[in-house]
Amino acid sequence: MAAKAKNLDGAIDVELRHVIKEFDVPRKDNVRFRAVDDVSLQIRDGEFFALLGPSGCGKTTMLRMIAGFEMATSGEILIRGKAMQDVPPFHRPVNTVFQDYALFPHMSVLQNVMFGLEMEGVDKREAAKRAAEALEMVQLPVASDRKPRQLSGGQQQRVALARALVKRPQVLLLDEPLGALDLKLRKEMQIELANMQTELGITFVFVTHDQEEALTMADRIAVMSLGKVLQVGTPEEIYDAPNSRFVADFIGETVFLPGCLTRKDGMFGWVQFDGTTIETKAALSDTNIALNANVTLAVRPEKINLFAADGNVKFPDGSSDSAEVYKTGLRRDPDINIVEGYIKSANYIGTDTRYTVNVGGQHDVVVRVQNYGLRSDTSFTQGQRVNVFWDAETVRVLTQ
Amino acid sequence: MAAGMSLRRRKAVEAGSKGGWRLATPGVVWLILFFVIPLLFVLGVSFLSRGARGVIELPITLDHYARVFQVYVPVLWTSTWVSVLTTVICLLIGYPLAFFISTQKSAAVRNITLFLVILPFWTNFLVRTYAMQTILAREGLINEFIVGLGGEPLTLLYTPFAVVLGLVYGYLPFMVLPIYAAAERFDFKFVSAAHDLGANDWRAFWRVVFPMTLPGVVAGCILVFVPCLGTYITAELLGGESVLMIGKLINDQFISDRNFPRGSAVSMVLMGLVLIALIFYVRYGNRER
Ligand SMILES: Nc1ncnc2c1ncn2[C@@H]1O[C@H](COP(=O)(O)OP(=O)(O)OP(=O)(O)O)[C@@H](O)[C@H]1O
Ligand SMILES: [Mg+2]
């Protein structure tokens, strides 16, 4: 997605202010379930915005409130600065691609796409022409006089997209539009959709529970859990600087190590692993964490490096150094943490090998080592003594 | 249908090759014995002549059909408009009712309301029609009420109005049940989709809800219209001499006049009308969804 050259400093397209949605719990009087819990968000004009979270966290409910199918229990929703409180769905400048497409079964593909234009009062000939163009844009390879049920899932998805896009909405809401597709088609559509969004410049609000999908497609991501938005940020921010254990755990692979915050200095803190004397430096997710608080270190396996504690360390260029010399060299950088341990288990998974390294007797760190062509000798055996090291910036201190 | 055969056809063919037809044997035998043969018999008789004291005899003649279309056109006409009116009224009452029932959240409420709709079936049709008579009669419930208020009694019984009322009352469940089945299958996400695309409630109904429930509507209309066309008891008890419908005409031909050939001809014409209704059904009601 290097080709993304968007100006996202523009106006705010969709804004949610302290939005709460409660549902009645059937058969239980006065018990209300909060599907969306005090959410505030600002989605910018032309942005590809992903709502990411596990099943049942309230993503669809949020989308339905923006579309107008559901009224917020409290709070405000604004589109282009205009309060949407009293605006019915058919007057909102948004269109939806539904989770299961909801194509009209009694209409042909073309009629489905024409429907929205006819509702605007566009005459039939013009509507048919614009619908055919929209179908061309989504590259539907079949005759448009077919009925939706005669199409494959991927084709139906394209029709649903064309039906919404033909209306040229300011904001397009997409509810897990790729959820029903197989993996390969899904990957293709991810790229196609992202390109289409860049070209059209329409704001996309894209719901997904697939973190990889959100990371590859979105300009910004809101991570949700149990009706709350936990973090909003670019994919890089979300991945590299998760602000909570849930976000770190949900996005990518993370190993959590419990410890105690012993020292603070600006953006950094020193954490002593529970039950050991090992102390490492890491980036604070929140500079207000109190000293001596119980914290969790979030460690990404691919950001940890590994070398044998004894013998030589080999480098990609073929040269080598003794382990001791290498270690002393690394120590000169105050941001590098080096911890000794031994290989507990090794797991070969093709492109990488995953090593579980036991440090300090009771903590396991997972390290992912890429299997380079040049370094076939960098495999480690079970029980081998090793050093693991990482940059303080890549490890986050989280409150519990 | 690029493959040349619809799924339904293919299933039927596969089932047939596995001996599916043998399963239909009892039904086929039944239909041949009690439907096809008598029907052919009636058809044959309708072209014969009536002899002395009702004997059926040669020569072959088209007289009875000619007479039906010359003399009995008003009867056909009455039957048709009474049936159409009844069907329309049943539809106007039944459609919202069926949707109301199908959208009730609680299954208990749905079942109870459905039960109420079919409750009248628990008493005999004849009894219910007599009950209707006592309500509509000159000294009936309604008129007693009107007179009690100081008004003039109305002529309600033995009018087309009474017949339509009785038919609506009798056949409403046949309208409600198929529409209910269609309404229950209807997913309101399609209304959301229509709203999303800019349709207001009115257009969402006519462009999406109604077409998608149309098979239920057509089935209901057929189930009401066809028996109304041939109705006898209701027309006789509530319409009397003033509302002459086909069912009564057939009865008169067979029983009072003992004119079997002419009765047969009228029956065949009735069948023709029903057939027209069924062609409608096949055309619009049975579309694959
Ligand atoms: N109409 C409703 N009545 C009662 N509860 C509801 C209603 N709609 C949603 N909920 C509840 O609200 C919560 C959030 O639902 P929602 O459909 O927004 O989840 P989601 O994040 O879209 O999940 P998924 O990924 O499975 O689609 C769920 O627990 C759901 O049971
Ligand atoms: Mg959902």
Side-chain angles (χ1 to χ4, degrees), chain B residues 117-165:
Chain B
V117 166
I118 55 173
L119 191 63
F121 284 162
W122 285 38
T123 25
N124 182 284
F125 188 63
L126 204 58
V127 173
R128 283 186 282 143
T129 312
Y130 274 120
M132 199 72 125
Q133 237 182 7
T134 64
I135 293 172
L136 297 174
R138 208 152 175 89
E139 298 84 31
L141 222 56
I142 295 178
N143 274 329
E144 260 178 36
F145 183 70
I146 292 174
V147 171
L149 288 178
E152 282 291 302
L154 301 172
T155 310
L156 298 171
L157 198 57
Y158 306 129
T159 61
F161 161 78
V163 177
V164 171
L165 193 71

Side-chain angles (χ1 to χ4, degrees), chain B residues 64-83:
Chain B
H64 308 299
Y65 286 96
R67 202 178 152 77
V68 168
F69 288 110
Q70 282 159 7
V71 181
Y72 297 135
V73 168
V75 179
L76 299 184
W77 173 238
T78 307
S79 282
T80 308
W81 79 253
V82 164
S83 302

Side-chain angles (χ1 to χ4, degrees), chain B residues 93-103 175-177 179-181 183:
Chain B
I93 300 171
Y95 196 93
L97 182 61
F99 254 92
F100 168 78
I101 298 174
S102 76
T103 50
M175 183 64 84
V176 174
L177 294 178
I179 296 178
Y180 172 79

Side-chain angles (χ1 to χ4, degrees), chain A residues 162-292:
Chain A
R163 186 174 73 169
L165 283 176
V166 79
K167 301 266 295 177
R168 302 268 153 192
Q170 281 172 17
V171 182
L172 186 68
L173 310 173
L174 302 103
D175 194 354
E176 306 205 25
L178 308 181
L181 308 183
D182 63 60
L183 192 65
K184 187 161 172 293
L185 190 56
R186 205 181 159 117
K187 298 265 178 231
E188 282 171 26
M189 282 307 294
Q190 284 175 6
I191 295 169
E192 234 176 89
L193 258 184
N195 287 341
M196 205 179 285
Q197 194 268 337
T198 311
E199 250 166 61
L200 295 171
I202 295 174
T203 308
F204 273 32
V205 183
F206 186 96
V207 163
T208 179
H209 62 248
D210 180 342
Q211 44 108 4
E212 206 181 312
E213 192 164 279
L215 289 174
T216 48
M217 296 173 83
D219 297 314
R220 283 197 308 152
I221 300 170
V223 184
M224 291 186 67
S225 167
L226 302 175
K228 283 194 158 65
V229 169
L230 299 181
Q231 188 171 6
V232 182
T234 63
E236 292 80 7
E237 284 164 1
I238 298 275
Y239 188 87
D240 291 335
N243 67 357
S244 59
R245 183 169 177 148
F246 179 87
V247 174
D249 199 22
F250 193 68
I251 310 224
E253 190 186 359
T254 306
V255 177
F256 296 101
L257 300 168
C260 171
L261 186 66
T262 53
R263 200 144 53 92
K264 290 206 296 187
D265 180 10
M267 299 296 296
F268 290 95
W270 280 260
V271 175
Q272 185 176 1
F273 292 8
D274 282 352
T276 69
T277 54
I278 301 170
E279 194 181 63
T280 62
K281 184 180 173 186
L284 291 170
S285 66
D286 179 354
T287 49
N288 293 324
I289 301 174
L291 277 182
N292 296 320

